[in-house]
Amino acid sequence: MAHLLRLGVLASGSGSNLQSILDACAQHRIAAEVAAVICNVPGARALQRAKEAGVPAVLLPHQEHARREEYDARLVAELRSRGVELLCLAGFMRIVTPVLLSAFPQRVLNIHPSLLPAFPGMHGVRQAIRAGVRVSGCTVHFVDEGTDCGPILVQAAVPVLEGDTEESLAARILLQEHRIYPRAIQLVAEGRVALEGQRVRISGPQGDAARTLSSPAVDEP
Ligand code: GRF
């Protein structure tokens, strides 16, 4: 059997993106397996999802570490001990430091609920509503030392509809997140992704098509 890329998933909350990754692995839609899920919040649904899927679930509360770097060193030790090759942040509500990034160079992905570089930070969906944009979406990107600003791997567009609230738009964006995160992981697993400065080059068939997913409703009036 071909090598399965060993994933580490970091989550803090509901873990619906984690679930989409677990499902894609279980259904052999991606050549990957979740080697460990690490969560910093006791009782988070993400931990339960990992257990239900039969993958190692580790609770590492950040409060026990005075400095971010110490916490990240602990994360690195845990991830290395489990042979993690690609790290996926999935609703992980912590800023990561160079301690983590240098341990996994060009091997840390994040998902964000906007079309970056628009609306980075904590409230990407709220900002999109307030700005009155007609199209928003979600982005899987490589993590660098800034906030939500590393090289962009895959995006999906989601129309903003009349009457949308932060909640209704966030829910529709989340559905697209669940499509693009497994797809982004699969591109890495296939060895098709190369970083050229701030740009990501995707080689092989349909390289351009692979980077953008439009929700079917995006062109509707
Ligand atoms: C998602 O909207 C993701 O884009 C953001 O945090 C949320 C996590 O949701 N980074 P979930 O925990 O995966 O359900």
Side-chain angles (χ1 to χ4, degrees):
M1 192 164 123
H3 174 72
L4 296 178
L5 186 68
R6 290 180 68 78
L7 309 176
V9 182
L10 303 187
S12 301
S14 127
S16 70
N17 277 289
L18 163 66
Q19 189 69 56
S20 75
I21 295 167
L22 288 167
D23 292 347
C25 292
Q27 295 160 13
H28 309 292
R29 284 187 277 118
I30 62 178
E33 60 185 337
V34 178
V37 173
I38 304 181
C39 180
N40 63 323
V41 178
R45 176 93 176 88
L47 281 171
Q48 192 58 37
R49 290 183 194 269
K51 285 179 193 152
E52 285 166 10
V55 309
V58 182
L59 172 64
L60 278 186
H62 57 271
Q63 293 88 343
E64 292 164 15
H65 300 268
R67 298 178 62 240
R68 286 187 192 282
E69 289 78 6
E70 281 171 23
Y71 182 71
D72 282 3
R74 183 77 186 79
L75 286 177
V76 169
E78 191 68 41
L79 294 163
R80 284 210 169 123
S81 77
R82 294 171 188 278
V84 165
E85 299 168 296
L86 179 71
L87 188 54
C88 302
L89 310 188
F92 187 58
M93 305 307 279
R94 300 276 303 165
I95 292 170
V96 298
T97 71
V99 170
L100 185 75
L101 297 177
S102 61
F104 293 93
Q106 302 187 346
R107 288 260 134 181
V108 184
L109 300 179
N110 182 42
I111 186 149
H112 182 79
S114 76
L115 289 177
L116 291 173
F119 315 131
M122 282 282 288
H123 301 292
V125 181
R126 188 181 307 171
Q127 289 182 66
I129 294 274
R130 286 191 180 156
V133 295
R134 294 300 184 185
V135 178
S136 191
C138 46
T139 304
V140 176
H141 65 96
F142 285 94
V143 178
D144 63 13
E145 289 173 27
T147 301
D148 301 326
C149 59
I152 290 170
L153 181 48
V154 181
Q155 294 187 302
V158 176
V160 182
L161 306 178
E162 289 301 328
D164 252 340
T165 61
E166 183 178 350
E167 290 70 29
S168 63
L169 179 57
R172 286 207 314 289
I173 290 175
L174 201 56
L175 293 177
Q176 300 304 314
E177 294 183 33
H178 300 161
R179 295 173 66 208
I180 67 170
Y181 217 163
R183 175 173 293 212
I185 292 166
Q186 178 63 5
L187 290 172
V188 176
E190 289 173 352
R192 294 172 59 190
V193 175
L195 280 166
E196 293 174 350
Q198 184 64 22
R199 292 178 62 97
V200 173
R201 196 162 56 79
I202 298 173
S203 58
Q206 297 156 357
D208 286 332
R211 354 177 5 119
T212 317
L213 289 182
S214 289
S215 122
V218 75
D219 294 321
E220 289 173 7

